[in-house]
Amino acid sequence: MKKLLGLLLVITMAWPTAAKADVLKNVDLKGEIQTIASDARHDDLGVFGSGTNYRVLAGLSAELVEDVTANVLFQYNNVWNGSAAGENLQHYWDNVKLAEANVVLSNLFDCFEATVGRQFYGDEDSAVMYFGPNHYVFKMNAAPSLDAAKLTYSDDFKAVTVLAGKTKALSDDNNIYGADVKLNLTDAWKLQVYGYDIKASESVRVKYDQKHHGFYGAKVAFAPEAFTVSAEYARGFEGHRLVKEGHDTPYMVKADASLNVEAFTPRAAFYYAKGIVSEYGNYYPGLVVGHLLSGNNVALPTYSNDGLRLFNVGVDYMWNKFVFSLDGFSFQDRTAQDTSTWEADLVAKYNHNEYVQLFAGLGYAKYSTPLQEAQGAKDNTVGQLGMLIKF
């Protein structure tokens, strides 16, 4: 704590000189505050949790010199707990984590952008790869990030990214290497191809008898003005050799479609997975069962991680500052040996302005036999209230 206060003092004293010399330019405050209150009708196993969670992300982005930007972002997340009232500042500093700390070099060799340091990575709606803060999920743990070096080359037609760094998996530090290629084939057609190898640490190699594990896949989207359709396919691998597949290789298929009809947006989705392709997904379908899936490539432990088939139909309706969403879900084991779990969700979002949003949701699930046995209930209801502020 003393070192931190000393650093802040030095920065404060040096600020006038730095500003005068134009060392720091275009300093911007960035971050977000998310608060979610949730309650579940049945939660004997503590899967859903009841109460209020919140997460604060706050930091600075500053242009150090031309084409060099530094980013620092801290995060604090906890539950509302009256017993912590009156604690000293050290009590809260102990729970502050460093979410981002990186330097971005633009126009490197006149064509590249390099990001070096702790950073977020991926698309938030991805079922296989995302490091960063999630939203509208009650169990919002500390936003994960990568300590990595990322190099990107992009123009109007393509964006090619290569990545090398460190991540956390199975409580051990692992090396991650990957590449992601996004192509704008036409104004409507988009193609993405990716592949990631997680090279396990020595302790994981001995425990699980593997040196590599990862996944690769492709996603294609067609989005004219009237509608959008997309399909994604990914496969996993693991072993002592890179991209070595066994006899029981996990894979997934995900398809989405939506129709733009003035204020209405009808939607549909299909998901099919054999095993767990990736541990780094962020796909939470449904207020109830979505929390059981935990975003990680969508495989229910109650189905012995063998896989899952999912159907979803829904519609969004925009009215003034409101967005209402009604969804129906069917969850079933991959081989359809058990009856389906059915879920219906109603979510309302109110956009107070471009930075502040209030939201509320109610979800009801009728459990299938495996989930009945696991959760100790035939059905369940989950309600949520929340607020999201971005700055």
Side-chain angles (χ1 to χ4, degrees), residues 199-210:
K199 191 174 181 180
S201 61
E202 186 63 32
S203 59
V204 176
R205 297 180 202 177
V206 173
K207 183 177 180 180
Y208 295 95
D209 191 30
Q210 64 184 40

Side-chain angles (χ1 to χ4, degrees), residues 103-123:
V103 174
V104 180
L105 307 180
S106 303
N107 297 319
L108 186 63
F109 304 117
D110 296 325
C111 59
F112 293 99
E113 179 181 272
T115 304
V116 182
R118 182 159 297 181
Q119 57 192 279
F120 297 147
Y121 179 78
D123 300 321

Side-chain angles (χ1 to χ4, degrees), residues 317-324 348-351 358:
Y317 174 66
M318 298 181 62
W319 177 67
N320 293 332
K321 294 184 177 183
F322 286 92
V323 178
F324 298 95
K349 297 177 181 177
Y350 174 74
N351 297 306
L358 307 178

Side-chain angles (χ1 to χ4, degrees), residues 300-307:
L300 285 172
T302 48
Y303 293 136
S304 301
N305 286 332
D306 182 57

Side-chain angles (χ1 to χ4, degrees), residues 205-225:
R205 297 180 202 177
V206 173
K207 183 177 180 180
Y208 295 95
D209 191 30
Q210 64 184 40
K211 183 177 180 180
H212 301 274
H213 66 281
F215 57 93
Y216 59 94
K219 180 179 181 179
V220 61
F222 180 55
E225 294 183 2

